[in-house]
């Protein structure tokens, strides 16, 4: 690294470090061979379980060992354990995987094992009134995933897992609380694509269930997006969400409104690729769906001008823009 003084190591120190690393590799391979041999012989013992813990601490991406660990529980430990003992073991495994996630927050197999743990929490006291082990476990899990998102708000593994937790909780959270949560994450960082995506999923669910009409929230969402656009016009996630809000472009008045708003931003940021891309997309929708209310020739010429500008600032996608230019001529 720049500015850091390089420390000269003697040949003896280098050799000692190599021997130490080789010893670790040898130890790891011996452990891995032992665990896999036990798996082959269907060893469902507590000792085998403990060995998987050691191995997974070293290599949490060893998915075969995660599978073996679960089979040990199902085939060897759980059948001979009380519900209290099973619950205690699952809680310990949740702690184990939480520690692993602190170091490896994007390893799929760790998240997958947490799902398995939560789905195997046994029936506990007061379960009938949703005050038992299951409810407590899912509520803790939501708190855990929120802490992980506090540390890295754009961890898409954590966002995906959060959706799973929300869908699985015995007592569902309201959509309003989830919208408030995504708004908080977006306002702290407009570039949080996962939060925008989660927001679209919540609104889509509300519309599909009949609890909300799309037009009931579109205006306020467009205002939120516009603030994000002006804050960081080069952020792709904002523009993707804007296109989702605009949908297929059936509302010509809304298309014209948003084209005007984005053009104002483009006048301030004349080299903004995403402004140009979005205006072009919406003008193409005007030509395709509302040709009877617009000056087709004028809009077509505006599209061609935008495509020339895009080719100049984004030459790597030149062929795409040429294809679009040819498509405009056919409209």
């Amino acid at each position: 690294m720049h500015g850091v003084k390089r420390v000269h190591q003697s040949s003896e120190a280098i050799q000692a470090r190599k021997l130490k690393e080789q010893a670790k590799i040898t130890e790891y391979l011996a452990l891995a061979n032992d665990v896999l041999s036990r798996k082959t012989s269907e060893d469902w013992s507590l000792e085998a379980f403990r060995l998987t813990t050691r191995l997974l601490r070293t290599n949490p991406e060893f998915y075969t060992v995660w599978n073996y660990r679960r089979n040990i529980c199902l085939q060897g430990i759980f059948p001979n354990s009380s519900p209290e003992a099973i619950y205690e073991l699952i809680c310990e495994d949740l702690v184990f995987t939480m520690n692993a996630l602190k170091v490896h927050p994007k390893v799929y197999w760790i998240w997958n094992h947490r799902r398995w743990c939560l789905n195997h929490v046994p029936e506990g006291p007061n379960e009938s009134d949703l005050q038992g082990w299951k409810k407590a476990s899912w509520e803790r899990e939501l708190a855990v995933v929120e802490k992980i998102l506090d540390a890295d708000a754009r961890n898409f593994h954590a966002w995906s897992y959060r959706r799973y937790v929300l869908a699985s909780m015995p007592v569902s959270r309201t959509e309003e609380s989830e919208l408030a949560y995504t708004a908080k994450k977006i306002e702290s960082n407009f570039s949080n694509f996962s939060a925008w995506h989660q927001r679209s999923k919540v609104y889509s669910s509300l519309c599909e269930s009949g609890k909300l009409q799309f037009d009931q929230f579109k205006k306020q969402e467009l205002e939120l997006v516009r603030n994000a656009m002006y804050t960081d016009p080069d952020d792709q996630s904002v523009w993707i969400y804007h296109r989702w809000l605009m949908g297929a472009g059936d509302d010509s008045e809304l298309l014209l409104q948003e084209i005007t708003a984005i053009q104002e931003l483009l006048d301030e940021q004349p080299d903004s690729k995403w402004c140009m891309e979005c205006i072009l997309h919406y003008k193409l929708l005007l030509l395709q769906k509302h040709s009877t209310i617009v000056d087709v020739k004028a809009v077509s010429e505006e599209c061609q001008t935008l495509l020339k500008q895009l080719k100049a600032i984004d030459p790597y996608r030149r062929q795409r823009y040429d294809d679009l230019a040819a498509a405009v001529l056919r409209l």
Side-chain angles (χ1 to χ4, degrees), residues 203-220:
Y203 275 127
S204 294
S205 176
L206 284 168
C207 292
E208 288 168 5
S209 65
K211 295 179 182 178
L212 191 67
Q213 296 298 315
F214 207 80
D215 290 341
Q216 290 178 284
F217 66 87
K218 185 181 288 188
K219 183 178 179 181
Q220 70 181 34

Side-chain angles (χ1 to χ4, degrees), residues 26-37:
T26 301
E27 181 182 0
Y28 169 79
L29 291 175
L31 177 60
N33 287 334
D34 186 9
V35 169
L36 294 177
S37 175

Side-chain angles (χ1 to χ4, degrees), residues 34-49 51-52 68-69 71-73 75-77:
D34 186 9
V35 169
L36 294 177
S37 175
R38 289 170 181 264
K39 174 181 177 295
T40 300
S41 62
E42 299 185 347
D43 180 348
W44 312 128
S45 66
L46 187 59
E47 175 61 22
F49 182 83
L51 288 173
T52 66
Y68 178 38
R69 183 183 185 86
N71 279 326
I72 293 172
C73 290
Q75 304 293 334
I77 299 176

Side-chain angles (χ1 to χ4, degrees), residues 8 53 72 79 84 91 99 106 112 125 147 161 187 209 245 277 312:
H8 177 72
T53 301
I72 293 172
E84 290 81 4
C91 288
N99 291 331
K106 297 182 180 179
N112 187 52
K147 284 185 179 179
Y161 186 71
E187 286 164 4
S209 65
L245 285 172
E277 285 259 13

Side-chain angles (χ1 to χ4, degrees), residues 64-97:
T64 300
V65 179
W66 285 113
N67 291 337
Y68 178 38
R69 183 183 185 86
R70 290 190 283 273
N71 279 326
I72 293 172
C73 290
L74 295 173
Q75 304 293 334
I77 299 176
F78 288 1
N80 303 308
S81 301
S82 67
E84 290 81 4
I86 293 173
Y87 180 57
E88 183 178 345
L89 185 146
I90 286 176
C91 288
E92 290 173 356
D93 244 25
L94 288 171
V95 172
F96 170 55
T97 51

Side-chain angles (χ1 to χ4, degrees), residues 6 70 124 133 194 218 226 238 280 282 298:
R6 183 174 295 178
R70 290 190 283 273
W133 294 337
S194 294
K218 185 181 288 188
R226 200 167 291 135
V238 176
L280 173 66
Y282 296 147

